[in-house]
Amino acid sequence: MPTLALHNPATGALLAELPADDADSIATKARAARAAQPAWAARPLAERIAIVQRFRDAVVAEREALARTLTQEVGKPIAQSRNELNGLLPRLDFFLSQAATTLAEEPVFDEGGMRERIAHGPLGLVANISAWNYPWFVSCNVVVPALLAGNAVLYKPSEFATLTGQHLVRLLHAAGVPADVLALVVGGGAAGAALLEQPIDGLFFTGSVATGKRIAAALAGRLVKLQLELGGKDPSYVRADADPKAAAESLADGAMYNSGQSCCSVERIYVQEKVHDAFVEHFLATVDGFKVGDPMDEATYIGAIARAPQLDVLDAQVADAQAKGATLLRGGQRLPGNAYAPTVFTNVNHTMALMREESFGPVIGIQKVKGDDEAVALMNDTRYGLTAGVYTKDEAAAKALLARVSAGSVYWNCCDRVSPRLPWSGVGDSGIGLTLSTHGLLAFTRPKAWHLRQP
Ligand code: NAD
């Protein structure tokens, strides 16, 4: 039987050694989930809603302990772990408030004895392979609507956030989800690959582009619904008429929050030349106020980089930018506790990996631009398309500009923001499919067309 060891990335301490799944145990869980799914789907929706409501109450009751576990296993500053758990509640509330209307059968035609209806039945057995950076958010974006819609779920948390994954499953089971309807799969890439071998009806993945493409290739030839929520290289543009201080404070937070390890972190900033210097000055002042340190310290803003190999990626991007003539204004080096110093470059361009490849760390390049057309061209010069933003006083100009930018979410005077009411999706290498919004409930259903003629 394989095992999975979990370490605190900030201290290196061993947190737990868990029994992990192998291909046989995963196949057993898949069979049991498949067998349990029809009875789960047959229960009145109101019962499934009541179960998720009890789960929400349990998250509130255990919030502090859950936040501490999250900080220990991924190195997220404790204040930000609490924010994640608090931010989970409106997501759950949104699904709870929308499930009954969104999943209800829709009458669409009734004339001359002929009726037509759309029913939203479950896909059946779905698998969720998840990431570690916001494990409560990304797992609940899938597991909760999938269960509400009547699916059985095989859930594999990231091997770096499995203690959180265990809590999520424990609380859902305690709230009333039958054990076989929601199964925890423990392990890393091999367990994920074994999960793909099961006779699943849908695969919902959150993670890197490289793994997402591997999964798409593994499922090619099988008619399994596939959703991939992948990485980004999200740009933001500060126009000449923006308030440079307000934009700098917002974007520094968007770039560095969660130590830069968000799929929608701001990863590239373009600033119109008139406000460039003022913007950079305010940006540095904001970054200088970010406390780097022990993730358990209440005042810490930048914690540990969760995966040690990512430090090599950051070092390589810094070295490449310096070799190509960028100006390093802050940081550029590792710090104790597996941390990385908040790093700010100016005089960057698109020959640099810093401006092209996902950094996933507290590292940012700020590029001077002449105006809107150059900014739009640079924002679109990417294989990704998760989010993009613009800071300006002029709403009409912002809308015209953002209409030309290829991204799943666009922001006017804000960034790094996810709303339960809006679909979360990507363009290009940022993925296929979506979560959240009412569309993110319907993503776990199969529409069935009913043609009913009165005899
Ligand atoms: P990852 O790709 O390394 O791992 C993701 C999951 O895939 C893990 O559970 C892992 O065990 C599993 N896995 C690895 N190899 C596999 C294989 N061959 N077959 C099946 N499963 C396999 O990603 P990560 O480091 O956990 O997450 C970081 C990435 O996730 C970043 O790129 C980030 O931008 C992205 N992300 C995207 C979103 C979004 O909503 N778009 C949200 C969060 C994170």
Side-chain angles (χ1 to χ4, degrees), residues 66-84:
L66 299 174
R68 296 179 85 79
T69 299
L70 178 54
T71 288
Q72 282 171 352
E73 70 177 339
V74 304
K76 189 186 295 255
I78 185 69
Q80 297 177 14
S81 290
R82 289 192 195 109
N83 289 348
E84 184 173 346

Side-chain angles (χ1 to χ4, degrees), residues 231-281:
K233 190 70 192 169
D234 295 1
S236 195
Y237 167 42
V238 182
R239 274 183 108 225
D241 68 346
D243 173 349
K245 183 167 185 281
E249 287 171 357
S250 169
L251 286 169
D253 183 53
M256 308 274 174
Y257 189 83
N258 203 29
S259 312
Q261 301 169 113
S262 308
C263 53
C264 53
S265 284
V266 176
E267 292 236 346
R268 310 178 267 151
I269 301 175
Y270 305 100
V271 187
Q272 206 279 335
E273 49 198 10
K274 195 175 130 223
V275 283
H276 177 272
D277 293 354
F279 174 85
V280 170
E281 189 186 316

Side-chain angles (χ1 to χ4, degrees), residues 121-258:
L123 294 169
L125 174 59
V126 302
N128 178 212
I129 299 178
S130 201
W132 53 264
N133 62 330
Y134 281 95
W136 284 98
F137 284 167
V138 295
S139 301
C140 287
N141 287 355
V142 172
V143 172
V144 168
L147 290 171
L148 285 170
N151 297 279
V153 182
L154 299 170
Y155 161 55
K156 195 196 86 59
S158 164
E159 59 272 45
F160 301 99
T162 304
L163 298 177
T164 291
Q166 279 186 319
H167 284 306
L168 192 154
V169 170
R170 173 179 62 77
L171 293 177
L172 278 164
H173 285 165
V177 177
D180 287 344
V181 167
L182 171 64
L184 179 74
V185 172
V186 174
L195 201 44
L196 303 178
E197 300 291 315
Q198 306 310 311
I200 49 177
D201 301 302
L203 188 284
F204 295 80
F205 173 77
T206 307
S208 64
V209 175
T211 309
K213 287 185 174 173
R214 220 169 282 138
I215 286 174
L219 290 179
R222 283 172 58 193
L223 303 179
V224 171
K225 172 163 184 173
L226 176 63
Q227 280 205 179
L228 304 170
E229 299 209 330
L230 309 176
K233 190 70 192 169
D234 295 1
S236 195
Y237 167 42
V238 182
R239 274 183 108 225
D241 68 346
D243 173 349
K245 183 167 185 281
E249 287 171 357
S250 169
L251 286 169
D253 183 53
M256 308 274 174
Y257 189 83
N258 203 29

Side-chain angles (χ1 to χ4, degrees), residues 272-315:
Q272 206 279 335
E273 49 198 10
K274 195 175 130 223
V275 283
H276 177 272
D277 293 354
F279 174 85
V280 170
E281 189 186 316
H282 291 300
F283 195 91
L284 293 175
T286 308
V287 167
D288 289 343
F290 291 157
K291 183 174 183 301
V292 186
D294 177 1
M296 277 299 182
D297 185 333
E298 298 291 335
T300 294
Y301 180 87
I302 305 261
I305 294 297
R307 302 178 69 174
Q310 197 62 24
L311 294 169
D312 298 334
V313 173
L314 298 176
D315 278 345

Side-chain angles (χ1 to χ4, degrees), residues 234-242 247 251 266 268-273 275 279 367-376 379 388-392 397-398 401-402 405 411-414:
D234 295 1
S236 195
Y237 167 42
V238 182
R239 274 183 108 225
D241 68 346
L251 286 169
V266 176
R268 310 178 267 151
I269 301 175
Y270 305 100
V271 187
Q272 206 279 335
E273 49 198 10
V275 283
F279 174 85
Q367 183 167 350
K368 201 184 276 184
V369 294
K370 291 201 167 11
D372 294 357
D373 288 342
E374 186 185 3
V376 169
M379 288 164 98
V390 58
Y391 287 74
T392 171
L401 225 143
L402 292 171
V405 175
Y411 303 121
W412 176 41
N413 294 327
C414 56

